[in-house]
Amino acid sequence: MRPRHPASLPSPAPAPPPTPALRPALPILPAHRPSEPARAAAPSPARAAWALAASLAVLPACGAGAIASPGARAPETLRALPDRIDGSTLLGGDAQRAAQAGASALRVIGADMASDGDRLGAFVEVPAGECMLAMARVSPTISDVDLFAFEDDGSAFSTDEAADARASILVCPPHPRRLYVMARVMSGAGAVSVGVQSVPVKAADAVARAVGARGRSGDESGRLESWPGLEAKIRARRAAVGARWDDVRRVALPVGSRTASRIGATLDGGRCLDVLVSPSDEVASLEVVAEDETGRVVARARERGQDRSLLLCSPVSVELSIAIRSRGTQGLVAVVVSRSQPGAEAEISGATPIERVTEGRDLVEARADHARALAGRGYGAPRVSTGAARLGSRTTLPIELPAGCARIDVLAGKPLADVLAELWSEGHALLGRARGGARATLFTCGRGGPARIDVESMAQPGPFAVEVRKEPEAPPALVAHPIAAARLLGRMSAAGPADAAGAAGAQAVALDAARLKILPLPIPANTCAEVIAALDTHGAGVDLRLVDTSTGESSLARARHVVSDSRCAGPAAVPASIELRLAEGKGDALVLIRTSPRSR
């Protein structure tokens, strides 16, 4: 049980700075404070104390020791004042730090006096393509406050339930159209203020670090007291999988054996979802499946001791339902749903099984759609080979690679789904490896010549086509490091349209497990910088750390062969640096820095 502290009066607050208006993109719906008849009948200790203070303040000065201020006039009668607490006083410092990191102006949605158990909140409408930062700040007389973001059905979408006097959550897409943001006092009595700020997705990590917001990749949920060991399991899971992950949902569900408990999840095209289900002690065994909108089971979770895990990736957006059923006993399970960055499948450890969700199409239709997607990007007519992929064996096709750089697409026709493709040189050296649902894409750079491609079905057999297209440009750094080039271009392509010309700025750097490689990364004002590092033939395990050299704040991303991270600057430029290190061995890497305007 958290300690309780007697109510006391907060110290006088300094005059608040002027608060800039919030952008119209994040409207605040009419505030609502849950009715509490019992509290209306019996005021809390905090309210009683403040009422007493107010009544004493307005009494006329009397007695020999009373001294009146110059020009002050005593009130003629006792009256209630329409004054309200200025919530920006408590929130102003953190709101300014968030704004410097890229957030919009602060909007206060509620401010009041409160004591143990009191709640304060309002509905907030959140733009579909942006994040929302919500903060609860209190006077020194409150030692613990929690913060929640609820969906319309009453389920908790995001929470900060740490035993702390500062509560902050950051909600990023995908999220509901509106959320009810609510603060609850857990210990103490005094002033409480709740505010929100709109945050561009690219600036989310910087804002989260600036104010200590929960709900981002690698952050604690603040619920360790209620579910011991869960945070350690999440961190171990993400370390084993690799890539970077953002929390989508963390929720506790009751489960039984008669009917399945379900939560919804959106799998965006080009991204992956990781689902971890951890049961309480009374639940002996679990069955966890992912179902599509028709109720068809698209994947089954794998066992990890008592826990269950599921990693799903898709090139198209899919609405899923995670169904959880207990085998024989009732109890609770903790469900953690995390979402990858766009194109992060290339960064996921090869030892982690991936379930691919895709739509089946005829091969002719799949090729026509792919040709339309590549139209206008400078490619000539492709060289095409066809074959049939089978389960448990590889179909080998000879192909001719052009000099320079080339793009190779393996397109699957239904019922083929989940295809593995490996590209081999004439000298039997592995040039590239890719796996996908309806399509697997490889890139290669070098002198060209005869090669072969092996195609294998990982789920259902079916026809496929191999299309080889020559890249219009072949940057020298990519030709000199073909394996690193293949990994770099594959990572770029997974996140959106990409070609070799877009990687012309890549530089080769030598890495060593025993030394730290540091590169400068100046980030201009209102700009985001993305860094991608891809290893060549030697070395394994690469750490990428982006450091704000003015504040010391940093982020860390890890992967086996290719890793990426990004950092944004607000109205002022940010002096930053790139730190790279290998986990083992020595080898070269291609490092690409891409900048883009920060979205508002």
Side-chain angles (χ1 to χ4, degrees):
M1 180 178 296
R2 294 173 176 167
R4 306 284 180 174
H5 299 282
S8 58
L9 297 181
S11 304
T19 303
L22 182 70
R23 296 189 301 111
L26 187 59
I28 307 301
L29 303 183
H32 170 69
R33 187 180 179 111
S35 60
E36 299 179 86
R39 296 186 183 279
S44 67
R47 293 194 179 92
W50 276 91
L52 177 60
S55 64
L56 292 176
V58 299
L59 289 177
C62 57
I67 300 177
S69 302
R73 188 178 65 178
E76 298 178 355
T77 183
L78 181 70
R79 61 191 178 93
L81 300 177
D83 300 349
R84 292 290 184 267
I85 295 174
D86 187 351
S88 62
T89 302
L90 296 172
L91 292 162
D94 285 326
Q96 184 178 7
R97 281 186 282 273
Q100 290 173 347
S104 70
L106 170 70
R107 179 69 180 270
V108 178
I109 64 173
D112 205 349
M113 295 296 173
S115 62
D116 293 357
D118 284 349
R119 300 169 175 84
L120 179 68
F123 278 108
V124 179
E125 191 172 58
V126 189
E130 294 196 356
C131 303
M132 177 196 71
L133 171 67
M135 298 186 293
R137 296 295 183 264
V138 297
S139 62
T141 54
I142 295 178
S143 61
D144 187 4
V145 64
D146 290 347
L147 188 61
F148 305 85
F150 292 104
E151 297 186 60
D152 282 337
D153 62 2
S155 61
F157 188 82
S158 182
T159 67
D160 183 351
E161 299 176 79
D164 196 348
R166 296 159 54 88
S168 307
I169 55 178
L170 187 62
V171 174
C172 285
H175 51 61
R177 182 184 66 85
R178 72 172 190 170
L179 292 165
Y180 187 82
V181 178
M182 185 193 79
R184 179 177 63 192
V185 176
M186 302 303 296
S187 180
V192 181
S193 183
V194 183
V196 294
Q197 291 172 267
S198 182
V199 180
V201 174
K202 290 184 177 180
D205 288 334
V207 171
R209 288 190 294 268
V211 300
R214 302 185 186 276
R216 297 295 293 163
S217 175
D219 292 333
E220 295 181 355
S221 63
R223 304 186 67 179
L224 296 179
E225 300 90 348
S226 60
W227 207 283
L230 177 61
E231 205 66 47
K233 291 180 179 180
I234 296 171
R235 290 181 181 275
R237 169 70 176 169
R238 291 178 178 174
V241 172
R244 295 174 55 241
W245 299 88
D246 297 330
D247 278 355
V248 175
R249 298 192 72 176
R250 293 192 182 192
V251 62
L253 286 180
V255 294
S257 59
R258 293 188 177 182
T259 59
S261 299
R262 288 179 167 83
I263 64 170
T266 300
L267 176 54
D268 295 325
R271 296 180 186 254
C272 299
L273 276 183
D274 184 60
V275 181
L276 175 65
V277 181
S278 181
S280 57
D281 292 339
E282 61 270 19
V283 179
S285 182
L286 285 173
E287 180 185 60
V288 180
V289 299
E291 302 172 346
D292 63 13
E293 293 176 301
T294 66
R296 179 178 65 94
V297 175
V298 297
R300 294 185 181 274
R302 299 175 182 269
E303 296 185 4
R304 303 176 68 247
Q306 285 190 317
D307 299 340
R308 299 292 182 269
S309 62
L310 191 61
L311 182 57
L312 306 109
C313 299
S314 175
V316 296
S317 296
V318 182
E319 293 294 329
L320 298 174
S321 175
I322 309 300
I324 307 167
R325 187 195 302 268
S326 172
R327 294 176 179 147
T329 56
Q330 296 181 345
L332 289 174
V333 296
V335 184
V336 181
V337 182
S338 308
R339 185 187 66 163
S340 76
Q341 298 294 309
E345 183 178 343
E347 302 177 24
I348 294 175
S349 168
T352 304
I354 299 176
E355 305 291 343
R356 288 172 173 81
V357 183
T358 188
E359 55 182 356
R361 292 178 297 176
D362 291 330
L363 185 57
V364 173
E365 180 185 355
R367 289 192 59 199
D369 286 348
H370 186 59
R372 285 191 290 270
L374 296 182
R377 293 173 54 183
Y379 292 112
R383 298 175 181 173
V384 183
S385 304
T386 59
R390 299 181 294 273
L391 283 167
S393 65
R394 298 185 179 95
T395 301
T396 299
L397 296 178
I399 59 175
E400 186 72 20
L401 298 178
C405 294
R407 174 191 179 114
I408 304 170
D409 294 291
V410 180
L411 306 174
K414 66 179 183 182
L416 177 61
D418 196 356
V419 60
L420 172 66
E422 294 179 333
L423 180 66
W424 299 87
S425 70
E426 189 179 26
H428 311 299
L430 182 64
L431 300 178
R433 186 176 188 271
R435 185 174 172 182
R439 185 190 77 226
T441 300
L442 304 97
F443 290 87
T444 180
C445 294
R447 295 174 298 176
R452 69 178 238 194
I453 188 165
D454 293 346
V455 180
E456 179 181 358
S457 170
M458 308 304 292
Q460 298 181 23
F464 69 87
V466 177
E467 298 183 350
V468 180
R469 291 176 170 86
K470 180 179 174 59
E471 288 281 344
E473 295 186 28
L478 273 63
V479 175
H481 300 83
I483 301 300
R487 291 167 174 166
L488 176 63
L489 293 173
R491 175 62 181 85
M492 293 169 59
S493 176
D499 52 29
Q507 57 178 313
V509 298
L511 300 181
D512 189 335
R515 295 185 63 85
L516 195 63
K517 185 69 174 182
I518 300 179
L519 304 173
L521 181 65
I523 307 175
N526 299 315
T527 300
C528 290
E530 180 189 25
V531 180
I532 306 175
L535 296 182
D536 209 27
T537 52
H538 301 291
V542 57
D543 288 3
L544 170 63
R545 186 168 176 252
L546 302 184
V547 184
D548 183 336
T549 55
S550 63
T551 64
E553 295 180 357
S554 65
S555 61
L556 178 63
R558 293 188 176 101
R560 183 164 179 79
H561 293 128
V562 58
V563 66
S564 67
D565 201 354
S566 60
R567 196 170 187 87
C568 296
V574 173
S577 64
I578 303 169
E579 295 185 0
L580 289 164
R581 184 172 66 101
L582 282 180
E584 57 185 53
K586 299 180 180 180
D588 293 336
L590 288 178
V591 179
L592 176 66
I593 302 172
R594 300 194 293 180
T595 59
S596 61
R598 181 170 63 86
S599 60
R600 295 298 302 178

